[in-house]
Amino acid sequence: MSLNGNGHASHGNGNGNGLTATGNDYPVPTARAEWIVKRKEEAARTGDTNMSQMHFARKGLITEEMAYIAKLEKLSPEFIRDEVAIGRMIIPANINHPELEPMAIGVGSLCKINANIGNSALTSNVDEELRKLHTAVHYGADTVMDLSTGGDIPMIREQILRHSPVPIGTVPLYEALNRVKRLEDLNIDVYLEVIEEQAKQGVDYFTIHAGVLVEYIPLVAKRITGIVSRGGAIMAQWMTHHHKQNFLYENFDRITEIMAKYDVSYSLGDGLRPGCLADASDEAQFAELKTLGELTRRAWKSDVQVMIEGPGHIPMDQIKLQVDKEVELCDGAPFYVLGPLVTDIAPGYDHITSAIGAAMIGWHGAAMLCYVTPKEHLGLPNEKDVKDGIIAYKIAAHAADVARHRPGARDRDDAISHARYTFDWDKQFALSLDPETARSMHDETLPDDYYKEAAFCSMCGPKFCSMNWSSKVDKFNESEFGLKKPDLTQIVTEQMALRG
Amino acid sequence: MSLNGNGHASHGNGNGNGLTATGNDYPVPTARAEWIVKRKEEAARTGDTNMSQMHFARKGLITEEMAYIAKLEKLSPEFIRDEVAIGRMIIPANINHPELEPMAIGVGSLCKINANIGNSALTSNVDEELRKLHTAVHYGADTVMDLSTGGDIPMIREQILRHSPVPIGTVPLYEALNRVKRLEDLNIDVYLEVIEEQAKQGVDYFTIHAGVLVEYIPLVAKRITGIVSRGGAIMAQWMTHHHKQNFLYENFDRITEIMAKYDVSYSLGDGLRPGCLADASDEAQFAELKTLGELTRRAWKSDVQVMIEGPGHIPMDQIKLQVDKEVELCDGAPFYVLGPLVTDIAPGYDHITSAIGAAMIGWHGAAMLCYVTPKEHLGLPNEKDVKDGIIAYKIAAHAADVARHRPGARDRDDAISHARYTFDWDKQFALSLDPETARSMHDETLPDDYYKEAAFCSMCGPKFCSMNWSSKVDKFNESEFGLKKPDLTQIVTEQMALRG
């Protein structure tokens, strides 16, 4: 299995970035390791311990990561720097994650997708999680979150980090809770201890539920599904037990200090996101979002990068509103959304219900889409579920890029359409998101090699293929009117080259 | 296997409509048969041979079909009649299809879905097609098209009609082509012969590609994928061969005469629909759409019902435009769309790429969504593909109904969300689109009966379930502030009753 370049970055595909794929397709640290060493030496010399990309950008510097991303995204390095400086783009890149191939999340770059992996107390082990990581990266996940809640969490995370060319995010609250055992024993000290350890290990972004304030708790009473965010529910229960304000909110600046040292990015968690259509866009949700905006500005004061997490379950007619509100309340910090699911009635198919919402919200400006697998609401996803979730989200993110008219976004569509029309089956498979599946579906009825050049498939058979007839109409248009088909040779060649 | 009421109609569920399910769940004609007999007697007496629902509606009559639909859709019979009279709603119900449970297609009623079945010369047989029909109806297809192009087409269609409680559509051009063998030998006489035979058999709607005019042929020259509609490509090739105008256009009124006698509805085919994103919303597409508007008005002069077929492959940012144009050019005739696919790069997953577009276009006002299966572009769908396509489209249509704020559309979402929050796993499964799949995914990790009442699943395990924690927050809100959760008992009970 080779990494097929579905990702926006070319994980291990040898594009001259200095990272090379190992036998099992995982990267070994080379180029970025050197960049980081230099940067740490510089910090020791100057005493400026803020290592965040935003800090460098605001000093006017173009880091190696920014230059690398500029090339990947076909944008200017100055544009990347300026977007990072104003906070509309983040580069989640912990200085202790040298295995990383840098990538950017922001409305100015391609729409990204995240895959959640990680075990629960009931199931999974480290090998299974590494297989999920591999599958996620292979099919094009741009970042991966390790949401492990059981077993040896630090060991699993270490394995994931050391094998991941993509940014890794976590929810440190899970490990903190495992450490104290009883929920009510959670406190800022154990939390800071956990995030410092995770930051040292190289985690690139933390989901932190600092916006669930004690005064918002009554706002969820009228909801059908209450609080569905694990982090949000933990903090809410802690606050109701102690009758105190959220300790993450109260100690936000202490957290920020650690984030700055390692360049961990905030992913400000939406602890009060709606868990069903009925609860969407309610007072609780937008109250928290306003607080996330306040925290964004506080983090930015320390040059710490921030993205904002979003829902969840949202009917289609409210999706644009979600982006508009986020941009307004959080000053354009990148919006990182889970789905959203546009209906609640399809457990077993929530990769589809949520890909609909994800595509739409990506079009409207969300910067990263967190996938949902078919197992959502039912159980822990396995490797197959991870793949199904990723493919659905590659579709959503790509459709969003096309609808936003990002330069060149439609090239791959045009190339595959040309291959389709000219009955170049092998190219059609190669250019598709999942070549193996496309080929095997075709071969289910027409397996022989002969049919790879056939001007039909089993859908219509040789006598009823519209494209076959249409090519005769093309000849008519050429002989009668001198009208020629567009020449797509260059686009097809470029797109095929990208897929090696 | 029982029909589970996912359909808007309650196919064979014994809801007092006079149709009863046979042992194999197919309906036997009873109630509608009597309505039709009376109507035919009346026609013989008066000499008025126009049997279309539109004809009756325009005379101010409320037919038994309209009354039946009014009950199903929870709308007034007068509203149904008035919508049918002005052409914004159709009731595809051939007077020779007594097995039918009437249903309506229009922006004023719930969003419907169609499933295509039918063989090709290369594969399939009648038993397989009947299994596909059963699967389609079981999972909630509102209409089914038999697109058979090979074998004994009339026999397969007869079997499908006699077993179908939902309207059946066909593309008569396929059988006409099979009859003449050589495409250039097609002519209006064989075509009229075919449609009269199919109308007599009981086909409820015909896709007719009368809008592909000879002057539009040069407009497709610059397209990447030319003409991708089979009917459109056949007519284009016929016209380029003969240098003549489309004989379906030229003889439209003769066709209309037959449609009126049997109450077959027009599904005016979009022969020039775009087959890839690059070709979307181009001159060829909208030129044909304008002609379809002209033909709609011609059909309406004879009180014949019409819906308009739409694309195809459309980027998200052009989807609303498609509906706006159709409403404008075709005076609000129901829009019946294929997908649309919002990207071309995912063969093997086009049920997903197209469900995204379908949900959006349904929200914007399309009346019926023609499903696309995972096999699209690759081969003839099998029974599993039919099921996957249907589920994706049930999601899309339902999400559209919710986003359009149709009364009661969200009830099922609310009921399942309540079941989810209260850990009533059995109800959650029962209320879902595909109970077997939801249950089996849950049981993959936690099969024991004990877990059907457990306040967690394998996703988070007992210690990390947000809903579990959240219920404690609810208790706090109640004891501290006197705030109670909403009572959903009635909605859950109603929704459970609907699912037997």
Side-chain angles (χ1 to χ4, degrees):
Chain A
M1 183 155 80
S2 76
L3 296 166
N4 74 353
N6 266 337
H8 301 305
S10 57
H11 308 301
N13 267 347
N15 65 342
N17 62 0
L19 295 177
T20 55
T22 60
N24 61 1
D25 287 329
Y26 291 119
V28 291
T30 54
R32 188 162 191 254
E34 291 166 25
W35 307 342
I36 297 166
V37 168
K38 269 193 289 180
R39 210 169 293 157
K40 286 178 178 171
E41 286 167 1
E42 176 80 5
R45 202 165 44 244
T46 63
D48 181 354
T49 58
N50 190 328
M51 303 297 274
S52 96
Q53 294 284 328
M54 186 182 223
H55 188 60
F56 296 118
R58 286 178 166 187
K59 290 201 285 189
L61 298 174
I62 292 171
T63 61
E64 290 89 343
E65 286 85 353
M66 295 174 202
Y68 177 83
I69 289 163
K71 222 170 146 183
L72 263 188
E73 298 265 0
K74 293 180 188 149
L75 295 165
S76 81
E78 291 76 17
F79 175 78
I80 303 289
R81 178 198 59 200
D82 296 348
E83 289 289 294
V84 171
I86 61 165
R88 199 159 50 197
M89 181 183 282
I90 70 167
I91 299 174
N94 186 311
I95 53 157
N96 289 338
H97 189 193
E99 299 85 353
L100 184 75
E101 294 184 33
M103 54 77 74
I105 302 166
V107 72
S109 58
L110 287 167
C111 188
K112 304 303 190 295
I113 69 167
N114 171 71
N116 290 336
I117 63 171
N119 70 2
S120 70
L122 290 183
T123 181
S124 192
N125 59 50
V126 66
D127 288 337
E128 171 77 4
E129 294 314 314
L130 285 178
R131 276 196 298 275
K132 289 184 197 170
L133 170 68
H134 187 96
T135 297
V137 174
H138 174 73
Y139 287 104
D142 297 292
T143 80
V144 166
M145 289 194 78
D146 171 18
L147 301 185
S148 290
T149 55
D152 188 347
I153 298 181
M155 182 277 288
I156 290 177
R157 189 176 54 244
E158 176 68 18
Q159 287 298 312
I160 288 174
L161 276 165
R162 299 292 75 82
H163 287 94
S164 177
V166 302
I168 296 296
T170 65
V171 185
L173 198 57
Y174 301 164
E175 190 178 351
L177 177 54
N178 262 6
R179 216 169 272 195
V180 296
K181 310 289 179 202
R182 292 193 315 174
L183 195 148
E184 55 269 32
D185 293 341
L186 278 167
N187 60 76
I188 188 62
D189 295 323
V190 69
Y191 190 85
L192 292 174
E193 188 182 289
V194 166
I195 65 168
E196 180 105 35
E197 283 177 29
Q198 294 200 9
K200 265 190 195 150
Q201 257 186 326
V203 175
D204 301 288
Y205 63 91
F206 289 150
T207 293
I208 296 185
H209 298 89
V212 188
L213 301 192
V214 69
E215 53 267 40
Y216 302 156
I217 287 178
L219 301 180
V220 305
K222 57 183 171 226
R223 285 181 160 188
I224 294 181
T225 57
I227 303 178
V228 296
S229 147
R230 292 198 292 211
I234 293 170
M235 291 315 300
Q237 212 191 319
W238 186 91
M239 290 187 282
T240 56
H241 181 88
H242 292 287
H243 284 67
K244 276 191 189 161
Q245 187 54 288
N246 184 327
F247 65 81
L248 301 171
Y249 178 79
E250 302 267 2
N251 295 279
F252 191 74
D253 295 335
R254 293 175 70 188
I255 298 169
T256 301
E257 215 174 296
I258 296 171
M259 309 290 270
K261 271 198 295 182
Y262 300 92
D263 194 12
V264 184
S265 298
Y266 272 113
S267 184
L268 289 176
D270 54 339
L272 300 182
R273 70 170 172 266
C276 64
L277 298 188
D279 298 346
S281 310
D282 72 351
E283 208 185 338
Q285 197 205 335
F286 289 142
E288 181 188 31
L289 188 61
K290 201 175 164 199
T291 300
L292 298 186
E294 176 202 325
L295 295 172
T296 300
R297 290 180 287 275
R298 251 161 82 185
W300 284 351
K301 275 194 190 151
S302 303
D303 297 350
V304 167
Q305 305 187 94
V306 178
M307 60 181 166
I308 305 291
E309 295 188 10
H313 295 239
I314 303 284
M316 281 190 287
D317 58 310
Q318 295 173 29
I319 286 178
K320 185 172 180 302
L321 170 74
Q322 292 285 328
V323 182
D324 292 346
K325 278 276 187 189
E326 191 273 343
V327 171
E328 174 202 334
L329 296 174
C330 302
D331 292 12
F335 201 20
Y336 165 34
V337 291
L338 178 63
L341 286 70
V342 296
T343 170
D344 307 326
I345 67 169
Y349 300 87
D350 279 332
H351 60 313
I352 300 178
T353 65
S354 67
I356 294 170
M360 289 177 69
I361 207 162
W363 168 35
H364 289 300
M368 184 155 77
L369 313 172
C370 180
Y371 85 173
V372 170
T373 78
K375 281 278 171 55
E376 187 75 13
H377 304 114
L378 298 170
L380 196 75
N382 61 28
E383 204 182 333
K384 164 84 165 60
D385 300 315
V386 168
K387 177 185 166 183
D388 287 344
I390 294 278
I391 298 282
Y393 275 69
K394 291 303 284 184
I395 289 169
H398 181 76
D401 286 333
V402 169
R404 286 189 73 85
H405 299 268
R406 296 193 192 284
R410 218 190 57 205
D411 285 356
R412 188 172 178 178
D413 299 85
D414 292 356
I416 200 171
S417 299
H418 182 74
R420 185 171 284 156
Y421 192 69
T422 53
F423 298 104
D424 191 335
W425 291 96
D426 285 327
K427 277 207 182 92
Q428 190 188 157
F429 302 148
L431 291 166
S432 70
L433 274 183
D434 180 2
E436 296 82 5
T437 296
R439 182 181 293 273
S440 76
M441 282 198 182
H442 174 272
D443 289 3
E444 195 179 306
T445 42
L446 300 178
D448 294 349
D449 269 356
Y450 160 77
Y451 293 111
K452 294 300 182 301
E453 291 167 20
F456 59 86
C457 73
S458 69
M459 181 77 181
C460 308
K463 204 181 156 185
F464 270 88
C465 177
S466 62
M467 292 203 178
N468 196 338
W469 287 317
S470 182
S471 65
K472 289 169 193 161
V473 174
D474 292 337
K475 284 188 191 110
F476 172 87
N477 273 332
E478 187 163 354
S479 65
E480 199 84 356
F481 306 109
L483 294 168
K484 285 192 182 180
K485 301 286 289 178
D487 181 4
L488 273 87
T489 317
Q490 198 192 331
I491 286 178
V492 173
T493 307
E494 277 170 17
Q495 289 295 314
M496 284 298 291
L498 280 174
R499 259 123 228 125
Chain B
M1 183 154 82
S2 76
L3 297 167
N4 74 353
N6 266 336
H8 301 304
S10 57
H11 308 303
N13 268 346
N15 65 343
N17 62 0
L19 296 176
T20 55
T22 60
N24 62 0
D25 288 329
Y26 291 120
V28 290
T30 54
R32 188 161 192 255
E34 291 165 26
W35 307 342
I36 297 167
V37 168
K38 269 193 288 180
R39 210 171 292 158
K40 285 178 179 170
E41 286 167 1
E42 175 80 5
R45 202 165 46 242
T46 62
D48 182 352
T49 58
N50 190 327
M51 303 296 275
S52 96
Q53 296 284 327
M54 186 181 224
H55 188 60
F56 296 118
R58 286 179 166 186
K59 289 200 286 187
L61 299 173
I62 291 171
T63 61
E64 290 89 343
E65 287 84 354
M66 294 175 203
Y68 178 82
I69 289 163
K71 221 171 149 184
L72 264 187
E73 298 265 0
K74 293 179 189 152
L75 295 166
S76 80
E78 292 75 19
F79 175 79
I80 303 290
R81 179 197 59 201
D82 295 349
E83 289 289 293
V84 171
I86 62 165
R88 199 158 51 199
M89 180 182 284
I90 69 168
I91 299 175
N94 186 310
I95 53 157
N96 290 337
H97 189 192
E99 299 84 355
L100 185 75
E101 293 185 33
M103 54 77 73
I105 301 166
V107 72
S109 59
L110 288 166
C111 188
K112 304 303 190 296
I113 69 168
N114 171 71
N116 291 336
I117 62 171
N119 70 2
S120 71
L122 289 183
T123 182
S124 191
N125 59 50
V126 66
D127 288 338
E128 170 76 5
E129 294 314 314
L130 284 179
R131 276 196 299 274
K132 289 185 197 169
L133 170 68
H134 187 95
T135 298
V137 173
H138 174 72
Y139 286 104
D142 297 293
T143 80
V144 166
M145 289 193 79
D146 171 19
L147 301 185
S148 292
T149 55
D152 188 347
I153 298 180
M155 182 277 288
I156 291 177
R157 189 175 54 244
E158 176 67 19
Q159 286 299 312
I160 289 175
L161 275 165
R162 299 291 75 83
H163 288 94
S164 177
V166 303
I168 297 296
T170 65
V171 184
L173 198 56
Y174 301 164
E175 190 178 350
L177 177 54
N178 262 6
R179 217 169 272 196
V180 297
K181 310 289 179 204
R182 292 192 316 174
L183 195 148
E184 54 269 32
D185 294 340
L186 278 168
N187 61 76
I188 188 63
D189 296 323
V190 69
Y191 190 85
L192 291 175
E193 187 183 290
V194 165
I195 64 167
E196 180 105 34
E197 283 177 28
Q198 294 200 10
K200 263 188 196 152
Q201 256 185 328
V203 175
D204 302 287
Y205 63 90
F206 290 150
T207 293
I208 296 186
H209 298 89
V212 188
L213 302 190
V214 68
E215 54 266 40
Y216 302 156
I217 288 178
L219 302 179
V220 304
K222 56 181 172 227
R223 285 182 161 188
I224 293 181
T225 56
I227 302 178
V228 297
S229 146
R230 292 198 292 210
I234 292 170
M235 290 316 300
Q237 212 191 319
W238 186 91
M239 290 186 282
T240 58
H241 181 87
H242 292 287
H243 284 69
K244 277 191 189 161
Q245 186 55 284
N246 183 329
F247 64 80
L248 301 172
Y249 179 80
E250 300 264 324
N251 295 279
F252 190 74
D253 296 333
R254 293 174 69 189
I255 298 169
T256 301
E257 215 173 297
I258 296 171
M259 309 289 270
K261 269 198 297 183
Y262 300 92
D263 194 12
V264 183
S265 298
Y266 272 112
S267 185
L268 290 175
D270 55 337
L272 300 182
R273 70 171 172 265
C276 65
L277 298 188
D279 298 346
S281 310
D282 71 351
E283 206 185 338
Q285 196 205 335
F286 288 143
E288 181 189 31
L289 188 61
K290 200 174 162 199
T291 301
L292 297 186
E294 175 202 326
L295 295 172
T296 299
R297 289 180 288 274
R298 251 161 82 186
W300 284 351
K301 272 193 193 153
S302 304
D303 297 349
V304 167
Q305 304 187 96
V306 178
M307 60 182 167
I308 306 291
E309 294 188 10
H313 294 239
I314 303 284
M316 281 190 287
D317 58 310
Q318 294 173 29
I319 285 178
K320 185 171 181 301
L321 170 74
Q322 292 286 327
V323 183
D324 292 346
K325 278 275 187 190
E326 191 272 344
V327 170
E328 174 202 333
L329 296 173
C330 302
D331 292 11
F335 201 20
Y336 166 32
V337 292
L338 177 64
L341 286 70
V342 297
T343 169
D344 307 327
I345 68 171
Y349 300 86
D350 279 333
H351 59 314
I352 300 178
T353 65
S354 68
I356 295 170
M360 289 177 69
I361 206 162
W363 168 35
H364 289 300
M368 184 156 76
L369 314 172
C370 181
Y371 85 174
V372 170
T373 78
K375 281 279 170 55
E376 187 74 15
H377 303 115
L378 297 170
L380 195 75
N382 61 27
E383 204 183 333
K384 164 83 165 60
D385 299 316
V386 167
K387 177 185 165 182
D388 287 344
I390 294 278
I391 299 282
Y393 275 69
K394 291 303 286 185
I395 290 169
H398 181 76
D401 286 332
V402 169
R404 285 189 74 84
H405 299 267
R406 297 193 192 284
R410 217 192 58 205
D411 285 357
R412 189 173 178 177
D413 301 83
D414 292 355
I416 200 171
S417 298
H418 181 74
R420 185 171 285 155
Y421 192 70
T422 52
F423 299 105
D424 191 335
W425 291 96
D426 285 327
K427 277 207 183 93
Q428 190 188 158
F429 303 148
L431 291 167
S432 70
L433 275 183
D434 181 1
E436 296 82 5
T437 296
R439 182 182 292 275
S440 77
M441 282 198 182
H442 174 272
D443 289 2
E444 195 179 307
T445 42
L446 299 178
D448 294 348
D449 269 356
Y450 160 75
Y451 293 112
K452 294 300 180 303
E453 290 165 21
F456 59 86
C457 74
S458 68
M459 180 78 180
C460 307
K463 205 181 155 185
F464 272 87
C465 176
S466 62
M467 292 202 179
N468 197 338
W469 287 316
S470 183
S471 64
K472 289 168 193 163
V473 174
D474 293 337
K475 284 187 193 109
F476 173 86
N477 273 331
E478 188 163 352
S479 64
E480 199 83 358
F481 305 109
L483 294 168
K484 285 193 183 182
K485 301 287 288 177
D487 181 5
L488 274 85
T489 317
Q490 198 191 332
I491 286 177
V492 173
T493 307
E494 276 170 17
Q495 289 295 314
M496 284 298 291
L498 280 174
R499 260 125 227 124

